[in-house]
Amino acid sequence: MRITTPARRHALVALGVTAALTLTACAGTSGPAGNTAPKVDVSTTIPSDPVTLTLAYTNDPPTKALIDGFTKKHPNVTIKPQMTPFNDYIKSIKLAMSSDAAPDIAQYNPGAMNSLVPAGLILDLGPWSKAYGWNTKFPPASLEVLSSDKSAKQFGTGSLYAVPGGLSVLGVFYNKKIVKAAPKTLAEFEAAMKQAKDAGHTPLSNGALQVGGFHLWNALLNVTGDVDDYRSWVYGKPGSTIETPAAQKATQLLTDWAKKGYISSSASATADPDALASFAKGGSAFLITGNWAASTLETEMGNDVGFFLMPTESADKPANVASGASVAYAISAKSKHPNVAAAFLDYLGSPEAAKIEFDGGFMPVDTKTELGAQGLRGEISTVFAQVAQNNGIVPFPDFASPGMIDKLTPGIQGLINDKMTPDAFLRSLQESWDAHHGS
Amino acid sequence: MARELTSSVSPPRAHEARGGGRAAHAPTRPPRWRGRRARGWLYVLPALAVYLGFAIWPALNTLRLSLLTWDGILPATWAGFDNYVEIFQDSALYEAILHSLVLIIFFSFIPIGVGLLMTALLMGKVRRGMTFFRVVFFLPQVLPLVAVGITWRWLYSDSGVVNQFLDLVGLGAITRAWLGDYQLALIALGLIGTWVMSGLCMMLFLTGAQKIDPSLYEAAKLDGAGSFRQFRHVTLPGVRREITVAGVITTIAALASFDLVFVTTNGGPAGQTNVPGLLVYRLAFNEGDIGGASALAVVLTVIVVAVVSAVRYFTRDES
């Protein structure tokens, strides 16, 4: 069938008109403007009338259990959970929060919040924090990450926008069949890797295709660097830099380990779950990842697996800084029941919630609760308590700027493959930082 | 309005009358004809609505967004061509385009070659088991690329089947994690594309070849042509259109590749397998730069259209 000339012309005109309409009519794309948060009467008592809240979260196990725990205490409150798989969460939560039917409570995600905070779509929790005394209830470092200025560019300052409902900690798992005891210094760790290699084992499983690579770098940076420098950089404090001698040292160490064959070049093509599976099957001596892997490893390896924090250079000064993320929850500025939502947030820091968080694979927010955990999880909670009480839980480096993860992952691959120098790697990170925060 | 429409419709009919042989019908077309034509549009309407809603509208929207600075939530501001300028200044784009041009070799050239070879081998000889061959070779097309990618990631891994096989045949020295190798990752990735696309090409060519009049082969045989010359002078011209179609489909797959790359290497190691599709995704969803991502998507579309036009030009049917 041939299209006759005028028909074609009509089609073109139609297309042109549509295009013009699209280009002009919606040029000022809609979106909520300004920071006009509604006035709320802050209260720590919640009404006894029936209240229904919705809670948007992504696939982390304790959320539902925490909801159940809270609603058992307050039978008049119903919380409807809305789960979205992690990969879609950031994309959909922005739209959900700006819609008229926004969920009352939403799991916090730094990627999403850097537009939700400036748009005034989530509440400043300051008044409730004061009323409930959250500063003493939650580890200060865990709240710091969730505070930001109004532009959501600089963190660790300004208002509080969410509170944590479970923490995590990054460290080293080891196979007790291959490695007899947890190394106490970096030198011992290196010697243990050499020994494992000489005995024909893979020293370190690593999923550098995904986040495993930069977790390893991050763990090293935690023990070579100054924690204040690192925090300032991740939080976007003006004038911060990652091009420091400490970061240089951590990066060089990683490069050396790759050259010595402790990290194989195949790590660049290994996903995190594959690295975990390989370690669980006894395929390697060490695996650097977070406590979230604990329950899988316990099931697979029983008593043959242990956990320690990345050791420092001296055994006298054990690590008291470790990276960790938190699952955290924010309250929508459109919520009709912000006081009830805040009561749920407060519940997250209670000793009862601590038990639920721990059973769900997280480290409890209330670090003083005795958990009486045994085995691997006992080992993890012991080292975690030490770090948390020292206020040493710091955020992951990809938090520093929106594009950072796309510099970290390929950068570490470049280091492992000997295609990038430590200097060039740190420069690329700083470029991404500068682009977001301004140099 | 109606009059305008009529007047603008009539000249081409006259034009058609001048050029075509249907001149006699045009002036005496029965009055019912226009009603039938309207009814025809009615049938097209559902498909047209879907097409406008899910292809044209999003495409126009992308074009609009590419001229804005927008993070997805806050009010957008007019950016003009700033997004484009920024993209063209980024060396990552050129590398990514180069990578997808390399992928054309693996997604398009080699599969078309393999498809033609299989067609030559199967044409007119195999009667039994033909369905089996088709199913086996077409299978990669049926599987979701994400599943294909994850499977190949395992096959290519340190202790994967590929390396086990190499060990078995005494090539243990060259084993490596193929997708993690800085030099070879792009080729390893390309070969997955070859595996996926070859079956599609073969199917297309076989279908085309089966339409060829058998008498042509007989005539060629009588003229003393062997298998190779029969293939060259009868089969090949016979499947020319199918080659164009295969070329277009596979080239688009290479240039717009995203899912396969995303699950196998995610652009790694160290950016060696970055493709434009991946950069679009990162800009939009990791960096929240919807404007930049849209601009890059528009650039990618222009590249795809240009390359596909070139493919069609070079494989055009001159007869």
Side-chain angles (χ1 to χ4, degrees):
Chain A
M1 199 186 91
R2 240 165 20 125
I3 303 180
T4 57
T5 321
R8 204 182 273 169
R9 200 183 301 144
H10 275 303
L12 272 180
V13 169
L15 205 69
V17 169
T18 329
L21 279 176
T22 334
L23 288 168
T24 52
C26 323
T29 294
S30 61
N35 287 295
T36 45
K39 269 254 168 263
V40 183
D41 292 326
V42 173
S43 159
T44 55
T45 50
I46 65 171
S48 51
D49 319 334
V51 173
T52 302
L53 301 178
T54 47
L55 183 150
Y57 74 109
T58 178
N59 31 356
D60 284 308
T63 306
K64 268 190 146 169
L66 287 168
I67 291 175
D68 292 344
F70 178 76
T71 49
K72 208 178 269 174
K73 278 184 80 177
H74 303 281
N76 63 313
V77 181
T78 313
I79 299 181
K80 285 189 188 159
Q82 294 173 344
M83 202 277 272
T84 313
F86 179 73
N87 280 334
D88 303 320
Y89 187 73
I90 311 169
K91 291 149 230 174
S92 64
I93 195 64
K94 291 190 197 175
L95 291 173
M97 294 300 275
S98 56
S99 78
D100 289 336
D104 298 277
I105 304 169
Q107 193 171 318
Y108 180 92
N109 178 290
M113 301 309 155
N114 59 25
S115 32
L116 293 180
V117 170
L121 288 169
I122 55 176
L123 288 179
D124 171 0
L125 301 177
W128 287 284
S129 179
K130 220 179 266 167
Y132 280 111
W134 285 344
N135 276 331
T136 53
K137 208 163 186 181
F138 297 90
S142 73
L143 294 181
E144 208 174 78
V145 191
L146 303 166
S147 310
S148 82
D149 62 355
K150 287 241 186 308
S151 67
K153 278 203 166 177
Q154 198 183 326
F155 293 83
T157 174
S159 315
L160 179 69
Y161 287 102
V163 298
L167 303 172
S168 49
V169 58
L170 187 65
V172 190
F173 290 91
Y174 67 106
N175 186 331
K176 289 182 176 170
K177 277 188 176 165
I178 302 174
V179 186
K180 293 285 165 266
K184 295 210 167 46
T185 63
L186 264 180
E188 274 183 40
F189 185 27
E190 217 170 303
M193 285 197 286
K194 183 170 187 319
Q195 209 172 11
K197 189 173 189 296
D198 293 343
H201 299 289
T202 305
L204 201 69
S205 284
N206 194 276
L209 174 66
Q210 293 168 342
V211 297
F214 75 78
H215 279 173
L216 165 63
W217 175 76
N218 190 199
L220 286 170
L221 188 60
N222 287 338
V223 294
T224 60
D226 177 63
V227 67
D228 291 329
D229 281 355
Y230 176 74
R231 270 206 181 110
S232 306
W233 183 71
V234 177
Y235 291 158
K237 197 172 168 195
S240 305
T241 177
I242 194 69
E243 293 176 281
T244 60
Q248 175 77 32
K249 196 169 168 187
T251 316
Q252 190 59 51
L253 208 52
L254 187 144
T255 314
D256 293 344
W257 287 4
K259 281 200 184 122
K260 288 177 185 166
Y262 302 156
I263 315 162
S264 90
S265 66
S266 66
S268 301
T270 308
D272 288 312
D274 297 341
L276 178 69
S278 153
F279 175 76
K281 272 189 270 170
S284 59
F286 298 102
L287 171 75
I288 295 176
T289 187
N291 63 295
W292 53 82
S295 58
T296 314
L297 292 176
E298 248 174 358
T299 320
E300 298 261 335
M301 301 173 80
N303 290 325
D304 292 336
V305 57
F307 182 87
F308 59 93
L309 292 180
M310 181 62 84
T312 59
E313 284 180 332
S314 148
D316 304 335
K317 287 187 200 153
N320 48 21
V321 175
S323 282
S326 64
V327 217
Y329 301 89
I331 303 176
S332 163
K334 291 175 181 165
S335 173
K336 289 197 180 68
H337 309 284
N339 282 323
V340 183
F344 174 73
L345 265 46
D346 180 62
Y347 169 77
L348 299 174
S350 68
E352 299 157 70
K355 190 95 189 80
I356 298 173
E357 287 154 12
F358 188 70
D359 289 345
F362 281 80
M363 290 291 121
V365 173
D366 174 14
T367 53
K368 290 161 206 103
T369 313
E370 259 318 311
L371 297 156
Q374 299 290 313
L376 177 63
R377 293 215 266 170
E379 284 181 38
I380 298 175
S381 62
T382 309
V383 293
F384 171 78
Q386 169 195 325
V387 174
Q389 278 158 22
N390 184 54
N391 200 21
I393 295 288
V394 291
F396 290 112
D398 54 321
F399 194 88
S401 76
M404 193 58 77
I405 197 163
D406 296 324
K407 297 287 177 203
L408 284 164
T409 315
I412 299 290
Q413 291 170 353
L415 292 171
I416 293 176
N417 281 280
D418 198 19
K419 295 293 167 193
M420 198 173 212
T421 63
D423 284 333
F425 170 67
L426 296 176
R427 185 86 278 272
S428 74
L429 301 187
Q430 191 59 28
E431 274 167 8
S432 172
W433 194 96
D434 288 343
H436 184 67
H437 298 288
S439 48
Chain B
M1 184 69 194
R3 187 180 297 169
E4 273 171 38
L5 201 72
T6 332
S7 67
S8 70
V9 168
S10 38
R13 271 197 215 135
H15 173 80
E16 205 175 35
R18 251 180 278 137
R22 286 183 288 159
H25 300 286
T28 55
R29 203 164 264 162
R32 264 192 325 175
W33 185 83
R34 201 169 292 156
R36 267 172 59 190
R37 190 174 146 142
R39 223 167 42 222
W41 276 104
L42 216 59
Y43 285 113
V44 176
L45 215 57
L48 190 71
V50 170
Y51 189 66
L52 282 174
F54 292 98
I56 302 293
W57 176 248
L60 290 173
N61 243 326
T62 307
L63 197 62
R64 175 174 69 85
L65 290 173
S66 75
L67 303 173
L68 302 174
T69 303
W70 192 41
D71 69 348
I73 293 284
L74 290 172
T77 51
W78 183 256
F81 289 97
D82 287 359
N83 289 327
Y84 290 91
V85 172
E86 229 165 87
I87 280 168
F88 282 111
Q89 281 169 351
D90 189 356
S91 62
L93 172 72
Y94 302 100
E95 276 171 34
I97 291 174
L98 193 70
H99 294 157
S100 45
L101 291 178
V102 172
L103 287 183
I104 292 182
I105 300 173
F106 291 96
F107 278 57
S108 189
F109 286 99
I110 303 179
I112 289 178
V114 172
L116 285 173
L117 184 72
M118 295 301 290
T119 310
L121 292 175
L122 292 174
M123 231 359 247
K125 297 190 181 68
V126 188
R127 284 281 170 264
R128 256 192 223 168
M130 192 76 154
T131 321
F132 173 77
F133 273 109
R134 283 190 182 176
V135 170
V136 167
F137 281 93
F138 199 65
L139 207 60
Q141 277 295 317
V142 183
L143 299 170
L145 275 183
V146 172
V148 167
I150 292 175
T151 313
W152 273 93
R153 208 172 68 206
W154 291 334
L155 294 179
Y156 270 139
S157 75
D158 251 348
S159 52
V161 176
V162 172
N163 285 331
Q164 284 175 18
F165 174 76
L166 289 172
D167 266 333
L168 202 69
V169 297
L171 287 171
I174 63 159
T175 57
R176 65 197 75 203
W178 296 92
L179 292 171
D181 187 287
Y182 193 77
Q183 313 293 347
L184 299 172
L186 189 62
I187 296 174
L189 179 71
L191 287 172
I192 306 177
T194 306
W195 180 78
V196 174
M197 294 298 170
S198 293
L200 173 77
C201 293
M202 185 197 78
M203 278 287 280
L204 274 169
F205 301 156
L206 272 179
T207 318
Q210 275 164 353
K211 285 188 311 202
I212 298 170
D213 189 349
S215 65
L216 286 175
Y217 285 103
E218 275 166 34
K221 243 184 254 170
L222 285 176
D223 286 344
S227 311
F228 178 71
R229 293 188 65 179
Q230 280 181 38
F231 174 75
R232 206 181 142 216
H233 294 287
V234 181
T235 314
L236 208 53
V239 296
R240 196 177 183 112
R241 279 162 196 266
E242 282 77 12
I243 294 176
T244 309
V245 171
V248 168
I249 294 176
T250 54
T251 309
I252 293 176
L255 289 171
S257 54
F258 169 73
D259 33 14
L260 198 58
V261 187
F262 187 68
V263 295
T264 50
T265 61
N266 195 12
Q272 278 294 291
T273 56
N274 272 341
V275 288
L278 210 57
L279 301 184
V280 172
Y281 173 86
R282 284 183 189 158
L283 275 176
F285 298 119
N286 287 357
E287 304 201 22
D289 180 3
I290 309 284
S294 303
L296 185 52
V298 171
V299 172
L300 180 59
T301 311
V302 172
I303 295 171
V304 168
V305 171
V307 174
V308 165
S309 307
V311 169
R312 292 190 49 161
Y313 178 80
F314 286 116
T315 56
R316 71 191 183 282
D317 197 352
E318 270 150 30
S319 64

